[in-house]
Each structure stands twice: as C-alpha cells, then as structure tokens.
Amino acid sequence: MKAKRSPFAILLLLSFLSISTAATTRKIQTRKPCKSMVFYFHDIIYNGKNAKNATSAIVGSPQWGNKTILAGQNHFGDLVVFDDPITLDNNLHSNPVGRAQGFYLYDKKEIFTAWLGFSFVFNSTRHKGSINFAGADPLMNKTRDISVIGGTGDFFMARGVATLMTDAFEGEVYFRLRTDIKLYECW
Amino acid sequence: MKAKRSPFAILLLLSFLSISTAATTRKIQTRKPCKSMVFYFHDIIYNGKNAKNATSAIVGSPQWGNKTILAGQNHFGDLVVFDDPITLDNNLHSNPVGRAQGFYLYDKKEIFTAWLGFSFVFNSTRHKGSINFAGADPLMNKTRDISVIGGTGDFFMARGVATLMTDAFEGEVYFRLRTDIKLYECW
Amino acid sequence: MKAKRSPFAILLLLSFLSISTAATTRKIQTRKPCKSMVFYFHDIIYNGKNAKNATSAIVGSPQWGNKTILAGQNHFGDLVVFDDPITLDNNLHSNPVGRAQGFYLYDKKEIFTAWLGFSFVFNSTRHKGSINFAGADPLMNKTRDISVIGGTGDFFMARGVATLMTDAFEGEVYFRLRTDIKLYECW
C-alpha cells in the first residue's frame, strides 16, 4: 500500500508547495507580457508663433523662464501640458488612433531629464479606453522605462512598463516618442 | 484499486489545473469589485473675488492665460490646485467626510478635457487613510473612468477604477463631481 | 481502506479550500513586505539667491504668490519641481545613491499639506531602475503614507507604501525627508 500511495503523496506535496509559494510570495510572476503594443506620439510645443500647429504649451516655469521659450539650465522647472496625436507609425500626418494627454516637466539643471504624468486616450474601433502612465524620463538615454499605473475600458486595471525612445526631434519645437507598451497585468 | 484511486486522480487533476492556470495567468480576475463607494466633491475656483470660499486656484497657465480667469481655447494649459470637501450626498453644505486634494489641468484646445492627479484623504471614524487617483477626464462625457493607483490606511494597496460624473456646475466657478469608486484589489 | 484515505481527503480538502479562496479573493495578501528600504532625500528650494545649491524651484504659484518666496496661506498653490539627492543616511553631504525627481504642490490654505508625484531614480552598482510614487503628504503629521505606484529595472512592477517623515527642516529653504519604502508586490 505504501509504495502505491507515494505518487499521490508526491503530487500532493508538489501541490502544497505551489500553493504555499503562492501564499507567501502571493503570485507567480512571469515577465512575459500579456499584451504588447507600439505607438508613436508627436509633440509640437507652443513658441509664441505656432498657435495653429502647437499641441503643447509651457504653463509653469522657474523664475528665470517664460511661457514661450524653454528655460536655460536644461529647461529645469518648465512644466508643459500636452494633447499630442498618437499614431501607429512614425509619421506625424498618419491618421491618429488616440491622444496622449497630460504633462511633462523638466527636472534637472545639469542634463535634460523629465517627469511624465499622462494618459493614452483611445476612442476608435480598434481601442476604447485609456492607459495611464507615470515616471521619470531621463531623455538623453536611448531607452527609458516608465510605469503603466492603470487603465480603463479595453485596458481595465492594466499594469506594466512602457519603454520610451526619442524617435526624432527638431530643435526645441518638435519631438516624437516611440512608446513600447508591455502590460504584465491584464484583466 | 484503480477504480478507487480515480476520485483522487480527478481531484488532483483539477487541483493542478487550477494551480497551473494561476501560474500562467497569474490570477483569476473577476470584475466584481471587492469594495464600492460613492462620494461627491465640490470645487470652487478662485476668481480674484472669492478668496474666502474658494477651494482651488489656478497656479499655472499658458502664455495667453492668467491666474484668476480660466484661459481661452477651452482652458487649455490651465493648472489648478485644489483642496475640495468630500461629502456623502450632493449637498455642498453637508458635513465633509474628507478632502479631495491634488491638481487638475485642462489639456485640449478644441473641447474641455482634463487630467487629474489627486487623493481622497479621510480622517474620520468612518474611514482613515487615503485613495490615490490618476487619469484623463474628458469632462464633456456623461461618465468617464480614471484609475485608483494606490491607497493607504483603510485603503492599503487598493487598486480600481473611479467613474466621474459632473453632478452640477455653475458657470466657471463651481462644479461638483460624483465619484463612484470600485476597488478590484483589496488587501 | 476508509481510514487510510482520510489523510488524503483532508489534505485535498485543505488544498481545495486554499485554491478556492485564491479564486474568489484573487490572492492571499499578507501585509509582510517583500522588500524594505530606507532612504533620505534633501530639498533646497530656490529663493533667488541660492542658485548654486538649490535642488528645487517654484514653477507655479497662485495669483498672490511668486517664484522665489513660498506663498502666504500655507503656501497653497505653490508648485515645486525638484531634483534632490538621495542618501542612505541623514547627511546631506553623504554620497548620493540616486535622485528624487518630480514635483510637489502645497494644497491647503489652513495648514501645510502637499501632494507628491515623483520617482527615485537609481543608477549605481547597488540599484538600477526607478520607483514611482504618488500621494498626499499632510506634512504636519509625524508620519504619512504615500503609494508606490510602479517601478522599473530592479524595481520592475513594484507596488507598495512609503512612509515619509520630516527628518529636519531649516526655515523655508531646506528640508530632509526620511522615506521608509515597503514593497508588497515584487517581481
């Protein structure tokens, strides 16, 4: 009887090991994304002359700054509000699939570095809902990771990481960010 | 012996199926909230004449704006800091159960749209702790969803979705938001 | 045979109870942190005379404020961008292990209260990656909790709670915050 019981015992042991692992570490976290997407968004900052095309504007600045020219000292303290078109490829004139909306602020005097709080807002046949982001953007690095802190609609309760890459920039007026979104919590 | 073993085998199989599901999808995510709450909060924006009653103030604005009148182009670029009373019903004069504190910014030139980063801060016999929110608020929609990105105290580690509804507004000075909070992660 | 089966039956029952608990509540959430860390960060606000040492600057203010002096009414409406050194002990001159980057805003007229959105950015042999924070900081309280809303690199997908304590302050120019980070979701 003993010899026959052992496969059960082993299975049960394995089973309990799995469960108790889950109980203490709470989950088995694989770093395989449950959803991956790539988007581009395009920012044209207001400089006093481009009211028609501008998609963003300086709304806060340090004492040494103003609202139409990014401040000295690597724009430290400039706060920018944006409503940028999101496209599937790197062409500014492609049909937008949503809007990137929120703010960024430059937060280092010695080099360009920013902090972002924004959403991707979708309302198309392809996607409905929003993805919310926050995090540091040391924008001189080729790639930098920010957090997907939540989502709604198609992206209900999403969490993940988004990798930003500066795909292009033109002086201090235009930049384009490639955004590789990888969700690790999908509902 | 075989016939007798099978119930075990089935149970074990089921057991392993459950565990391995948990292991690959990480969790069984039901969209049934673990906690639901409804609150109202009330925003009276400073316009230069209502210092006593105002609960919020413009602190950033685009080049074409100022600090006492919401800017043209659907207030694009206006950044508002607030400390608004939270009530259980839609009466501004009801006893507040907490404060909604943080900021919103208007971020679209063509229509009214905002982005919110704020907390509900409770310190009463009913609730202690805070709920943190972030997300896009396309405020012309009847309902819009933002993310509950975290919580502390009674709302330790909370995640969920909050549905905002404009319950009332008076010109550009007062608005009241109904907030239906549904938490899907409770600890 | 019956008597012999019972230990299995009990184990299986226990096993199923555990699994079904996990299925309905989604996870077994212990409040035991999977990672605990303590850091200090140091904020020196720009006052018009300390450009060299300042690590932060007022970039938004209410109508009654300006960019070099924190506003009346408990600084309500002042928005500050910062790039503060992080140290392992409470000495401003210790070797920084990273930077705290982001913003805080004062959001109550009656007492000092702030709202924070920022990241700890590490790039050392000890830690690589970032931790993202958001939440209300009622800074007159001895301790206050904010949320860890995400992380990248070594802190991939982190969630948790950070307890802030004002470790020192000098007038309105310098403050030092002790930050006890407890992560409850580690990957």
Side-chain angles (χ1 to χ4, degrees):
Chain A
M1 200 49 209
K2 193 137 188 276
K4 280 189 181 149
R5 214 183 281 158
S6 15
F8 286 120
I10 289 160
L11 283 171
L12 276 167
L13 187 64
L14 281 172
S15 158
F16 271 89
L17 280 177
S18 303
I19 293 164
S20 74
T21 301
T24 52
T25 66
R26 275 195 46 249
K27 40 193 169 188
I28 297 137
Q29 289 138 325
T30 56
R31 293 202 180 190
K32 196 167 159 287
C34 46
K35 193 172 187 71
S36 296
M37 296 171 287
V38 178
F39 296 105
Y40 294 80
F41 67 99
H42 307 261
D43 192 80
I44 303 169
I45 198 163
Y46 177 66
N47 65 3
K49 298 169 219 156
N50 59 352
K52 236 182 195 161
N53 296 327
T55 64
S56 68
I58 304 170
V59 307
S61 58
Q63 188 230 2
W64 60 90
N66 67 51
K67 302 283 178 74
T68 51
I69 303 168
L70 288 162
Q73 302 205 55
N74 292 292
H75 314 338
F76 179 79
D78 278 331
L79 171 67
V80 176
V81 167
F82 63 90
D83 169 38
D84 292 349
I86 302 170
T87 58
L88 295 176
D89 61 18
N90 66 2
N91 187 339
L92 168 62
H93 302 292
S94 293
N95 199 32
V97 297
R99 306 296 291 191
Q101 299 181 324
F103 71 96
Y104 56 87
L105 49 85
Y106 289 95
D107 59 5
K108 196 167 181 67
K109 289 190 270 187
E110 293 79 14
I111 54 160
F112 290 123
T113 295
W115 202 88
L116 301 165
F118 68 105
S119 302
F120 275 9
V121 180
F122 299 100
N123 189 8
S124 67
T125 47
R126 184 189 288 258
H127 296 303
K128 283 196 200 315
S130 63
I131 303 175
N132 300 318
F133 303 88
D137 177 13
L139 52 93
M140 300 310 285
N141 296 0
K142 200 186 164 196
T143 67
R144 42 285 176 191
D145 288 346
I146 61 171
S147 292
V148 173
I149 58 174
T152 67
D154 290 355
F155 308 101
F156 179 79
M157 289 290 286
R159 289 191 77 229
V161 170
T163 301
L164 305 178
M165 280 157 278
T166 304
D167 194 59
F169 65 94
E170 287 168 22
E172 298 197 335
V173 172
Y174 173 76
F175 68 78
R176 178 169 70 231
L177 289 186
R178 181 186 153 115
T179 311
D180 283 31
I181 301 172
K182 294 196 195 313
L183 303 181
Y184 297 91
E185 297 195 14
C186 301
W187 285 60
Chain B
M1 202 45 210
K2 192 138 191 274
K4 280 190 181 147
R5 213 183 282 160
S6 20
F8 285 120
I10 290 161
L11 283 171
L12 275 167
L13 188 64
L14 282 173
S15 156
F16 271 89
L17 281 177
S18 303
I19 292 163
S20 74
T21 301
T24 52
T25 67
R26 274 195 47 248
K27 39 192 168 186
I28 297 138
Q29 290 138 327
T30 56
R31 294 204 180 187
K32 195 168 159 288
C34 45
K35 193 172 188 73
S36 296
M37 296 171 286
V38 178
F39 296 105
Y40 295 80
F41 67 97
H42 307 261
D43 191 80
I44 303 168
I45 197 165
Y46 177 66
N47 64 3
K49 299 170 219 155
N50 60 352
K52 234 180 197 164
N53 296 326
T55 64
S56 68
I58 303 170
V59 308
S61 59
Q63 187 231 3
W64 61 89
N66 66 51
K67 302 283 178 73
T68 51
I69 303 168
L70 287 161
Q73 303 205 55
N74 292 290
H75 315 338
F76 179 79
D78 278 332
L79 170 67
V80 176
V81 168
F82 63 91
D83 169 39
D84 292 349
I86 302 171
T87 57
L88 294 176
D89 61 18
N90 66 2
N91 187 337
L92 168 62
H93 303 292
S94 293
N95 198 32
V97 298
R99 306 295 292 191
Q101 300 180 324
F103 71 97
Y104 57 86
L105 49 87
Y106 289 95
D107 58 6
K108 198 167 180 64
K109 288 190 269 187
E110 294 78 15
I111 54 161
F112 290 122
T113 294
W115 202 88
L116 302 164
F118 69 104
S119 302
F120 275 10
V121 180
F122 298 100
N123 189 8
S124 67
T125 48
R126 183 189 288 259
H127 295 303
K128 283 197 201 314
S130 63
I131 304 175
N132 300 319
F133 304 87
D137 177 14
L139 53 93
M140 300 311 284
N141 297 359
K142 201 185 162 195
T143 66
R144 43 281 179 194
D145 287 347
I146 60 171
S147 292
V148 173
I149 57 174
T152 67
D154 290 355
F155 308 101
F156 179 79
M157 289 290 287
R159 288 192 78 228
V161 169
T163 302
L164 304 178
M165 281 157 277
T166 304
D167 194 59
F169 65 93
E170 287 168 23
E172 297 195 336
V173 173
Y174 173 76
F175 68 78
R176 177 170 69 232
L177 288 186
R178 182 187 153 115
T179 310
D180 282 31
I181 301 171
K182 292 196 197 313
L183 302 182
Y184 297 90
E185 297 194 15
C186 301
W187 284 61
Chain C
M1 200 48 208
K2 191 133 190 279
K4 281 191 178 146
R5 214 183 283 158
S6 17
F8 285 119
I10 289 161
L11 283 171
L12 277 167
L13 187 65
L14 282 173
S15 159
F16 271 89
L17 281 177
S18 303
I19 292 163
S20 74
T21 302
T24 52
T25 65
R26 275 196 43 249
K27 38 193 168 184
I28 298 138
Q29 290 139 325
T30 56
R31 295 204 178 187
K32 194 167 158 289
C34 45
K35 193 172 187 71
S36 296
M37 294 171 286
V38 178
F39 296 106
Y40 294 81
F41 68 99
H42 307 261
D43 192 80
I44 303 169
I45 198 164
Y46 177 66
N47 65 2
K49 298 170 221 156
N50 58 353
K52 234 180 198 164
N53 296 327
T55 64
S56 67
I58 304 171
V59 308
S61 58
Q63 187 230 3
W64 61 88
N66 67 50
K67 302 283 179 73
T68 50
I69 303 167
L70 288 162
Q73 301 205 57
N74 291 291
H75 315 336
F76 179 79
D78 278 331
L79 170 67
V80 176
V81 167
F82 62 91
D83 169 37
D84 292 349
I86 301 170
T87 57
L88 294 176
D89 61 19
N90 66 2
N91 187 339
L92 168 61
H93 303 292
S94 293
N95 198 33
V97 296
R99 306 295 292 191
Q101 299 181 324
F103 71 96
Y104 57 86
L105 49 86
Y106 289 96
D107 59 5
K108 196 166 182 66
K109 289 189 269 187
E110 294 79 15
I111 53 161
F112 289 123
T113 295
W115 202 87
L116 302 164
F118 68 104
S119 303
F120 274 8
V121 180
F122 298 100
N123 189 7
S124 66
T125 47
R126 183 189 289 257
H127 297 303
K128 283 196 201 312
S130 63
I131 304 174
N132 300 319
F133 304 88
D137 177 13
L139 53 94
M140 300 310 285
N141 296 359
K142 201 185 164 194
T143 67
R144 40 289 174 189
D145 287 346
I146 61 171
S147 291
V148 173
I149 58 174
T152 67
D154 290 354
F155 308 101
F156 179 80
M157 290 289 287
R159 288 191 78 230
V161 170
T163 302
L164 305 178
M165 281 157 277
T166 304
D167 194 60
F169 66 93
E170 286 167 23
E172 297 195 336
V173 172
Y174 173 76
F175 68 78
R176 177 170 70 232
L177 288 186
R178 182 186 152 116
T179 310
D180 282 31
I181 301 171
K182 292 195 196 315
L183 303 181
Y184 296 91
E185 297 194 12
C186 301
W187 285 60

